[in-house]
Amino acid sequence: MSAPSLVAMLLADARLPTGAHAYSAGMEPALTGGMPPDQARELLCARAVTTSQVEAATAVAARHAVLTGGSSAAVQDAWAARTPAPAVRDASTAQARGYLRLARRLWPELPVGALPARPCRAVVLGAIAAVAGLPAVDLVRLVIYDDAATGAAALLKLEPRDPVETTGWILDACAAAEPTVASLAAVTDPAVVPAAGAPHSEMWAQTHARLNQRLFRA
């Protein structure tokens, strides 16, 4: 098995101890916001062609910036402009700290100085992909899969059901995004990162951030 394949498997593993288990990829905010649990599959598929597109393209652009010796500050700015909810941005930067801690131990050659002061998760994943030799296409699929798998795993804790069913939903979400993988993998300019927002999810996230009782941070 190739080293890039192993890196992709490592980063896509929910057991990776970086704190990702504390996030639901918008699933808990959606449920507490009033979304019926029976619409969870639709949520996963919708995110795969909206917010996950932004995350994947941001990661690819950050990868390109690191590989070409540039700064990922412009990439971070493009991501922030397409992620208007402060709660979503805060959750992403918190996750990024865990990934950055991992990267510093496993890939000490990571150019931390080229990253923004408070990078988002997608920028850190892009930097890891650059130093670990993960191809852009694999990075795109990793980001999309991880979002769907995180949401599905969270649902099993919030609204228990047959895990086989939710596994099928992950495949459906990845299939929904597959036609866009090649174009996302070709992104080099932060200006062309898709502006595929999900306003309802952003609203749910903001409301969820103010709750006193919640299982997941976001």
Side-chain angles (χ1 to χ4, degrees):
M1 185 176 294
S2 67
S5 296
L6 288 172
V7 171
M9 292 170 64
L10 171 71
L11 296 176
D13 191 340
R15 296 167 296 181
L16 186 68
T18 61
H21 56 275
Y23 298 87
S24 72
M27 184 61 70
E28 186 176 43
L31 293 174
T32 58
M35 185 194 76
D38 289 344
Q39 293 181 10
R41 176 191 173 278
E42 285 69 24
L43 176 66
L44 297 183
C45 290
R47 287 179 64 92
V49 295
T50 56
T51 54
S52 290
Q53 305 274 303
V54 177
E55 295 291 311
T58 298
V60 170
R63 173 185 176 274
H64 176 76
V66 171
L67 288 175
T68 56
S71 170
S72 55
V75 181
Q76 175 88 5
D77 290 343
W79 169 83
R82 292 157 177 76
T83 311
V88 177
R89 294 198 300 268
D90 290 345
S92 181
T93 54
Q95 282 186 280
R97 286 196 295 271
Y99 277 96
L100 196 54
R101 177 173 176 267
L102 172 81
R104 283 170 167 162
R105 292 286 296 274
L106 299 183
W107 298 282
E109 68 273 26
L110 187 80
V112 177
L115 300 179
R118 297 181 71 244
C120 65
R121 175 175 170 273
V123 165
V124 174
L125 280 176
I128 291 174
V131 298
L134 188 65
V137 168
D138 291 349
L139 177 59
V140 171
R141 292 194 174 108
L142 163 66
V143 171
I144 293 168
Y145 164 82
D146 182 69
D147 188 76
T150 298
L155 181 69
L156 293 177
K157 296 180 177 67
L158 297 164
E159 296 284 342
R161 59 184 62 215
D162 188 350
V164 173
E165 181 181 22
T166 57
T167 299
W169 297 350
I170 296 170
L171 293 175
D172 291 343
C174 292
E178 185 62 25
T180 67
V181 167
S183 60
L184 293 174
V187 171
T188 58
D189 183 355
V192 300
V193 170
H200 212 154
S201 289
E202 301 261 343
M203 180 190 71
W204 282 333
Q206 284 300 108
T207 301
H208 182 263
R210 295 192 292 268
L211 296 179
N212 293 324
Q213 295 182 338
R214 50 184 174 166
L215 185 59
F216 298 96
R217 174 164 179 171

